[in-house]
Amino acid sequence: MSRLVVASVMACLVLTAGAALAGEPTASRVSGSLTVNGEKTPLVLGYVDESPDDLIVVLASKEVPRDVVPFIGEDVARRLKIHAIAFTVSRADKALTQGFNGIFYPGPEMGFAGLPQGTAAIELTRFDATGIEGRVFAAEPFESFDHTFAFD
């Protein structure tokens, strides 16, 4: 897969991706937060993994090892104390899709929760060959595996 750069942002999880890069993904600044059981963590770095049909976007609290983007895994999240959300955007309809969607966090008993369909929304202002820009958010907190999650 080729990679895109996620560039700087405005409010919430606003994403901009630049030109496709060969090799490893490069982190760029993003703005937003992930809340797990009431504990809010800023999301400050973003990565985009590109395929012919979709993009997987990863928003993280700190740098993610390049070899695990976009599939972080709960062991990496726990070991490196990373909070992150990953979601898939379809190129065809420019909407969230049932691809790789999940939340990673350094929980003591679990470090991953799936992102249930319908819990997130995306508002894109640009999605073309040169990049993606927009906002992703959970309209309201949701529960998964006895944990409560929210992101904006």
Side-chain angles (χ1 to χ4, degrees):
M1 291 184 173
S2 62
R3 268 65 180 212
L4 297 176
V5 177
V6 178
S8 72
V9 298
M10 296 188 299
C12 295
L13 300 180
V14 179
L15 313 171
T16 304
L21 300 174
E24 298 179 348
T26 301
S28 293
R29 304 297 298 172
V30 299
S31 174
S33 65
L34 171 63
T35 303
V36 180
N37 292 333
E39 184 179 321
K40 190 172 190 174
T41 303
L43 299 177
V44 297
L45 294 174
Y47 306 84
V48 176
D49 188 275
E50 181 182 17
S51 77
D53 296 327
D54 54 39
L55 303 176
I56 300 175
V57 179
V58 176
L59 306 169
S61 60
K62 60 172 67 174
E63 189 171 345
V64 176
R66 304 306 194 259
D67 61 335
V68 299
V69 172
F71 308 110
I72 297 169
E74 62 184 288
D75 58 326
V76 172
R78 188 176 292 116
R79 183 170 38 86
L80 300 179
K81 299 187 181 341
I82 294 172
H83 289 76
I85 182 169
F87 55 92
T88 305
V89 181
S90 166
R91 288 184 183 279
D93 59 11
K94 298 180 170 108
L96 295 175
T97 187
Q98 291 183 337
F100 183 70
N101 301 303
I103 296 172
F104 300 92
Y105 57 99
E109 71 286 338
M110 178 176 282
F112 174 79
L115 187 59
Q117 190 171 2
T119 57
I122 193 164
E123 297 171 349
L124 295 176
T125 56
R126 182 170 65 106
F127 188 174
D128 56 29
T130 63
I132 179 173
E133 182 176 321
R135 178 176 175 249
V136 65
F137 56 95
E140 57 186 50
F142 60 93
E143 292 195 18
S144 181
F145 298 107
D146 296 324
H147 287 44
T148 302
F149 300 95
F151 56 93
D152 61 14

